[in-house]
Amino acid sequence: MARSLDASRSVARGRWDLFYTAFAAAVRGEGPVPVDPWDAVATATVLDAARSSARDGQVVRLP
């Protein structure tokens, strides 16, 4: 599920102070989205697996 990041993304990891400004610019069509949307998909996959594992008491293998 890993995707390569677009080289145009300019917000460095951990720079949340810049994230919201970059996000607002992206919404206005003035710049790229600051985070790869596929990162959200990967995060949701991990959270779903963790929830299933906790509920069922089983290891959940990720793709």
Side-chain angles (χ1 to χ4, degrees):
M1 202 173 292
R3 306 271 183 185
S4 62
L5 286 176
D6 182 336
S8 66
R9 297 190 202 301
S10 60
V11 177
R13 176 177 226 143
R15 292 301 313 261
W16 295 108
D17 57 325
L18 300 177
F19 172 80
Y20 295 103
T21 302
F23 179 79
V27 168
R28 291 189 304 266
E30 299 169 356
V33 293
V35 176
D36 186 338
W38 285 104
D39 287 347
V41 173
T43 299
T45 301
V46 170
L47 293 174
D48 287 344
R51 187 173 29 254
S52 294
S53 178
R55 180 189 63 229
D56 301 335
Q58 301 288 323
V59 173
V60 175
R61 303 235 180 259
L62 298 174

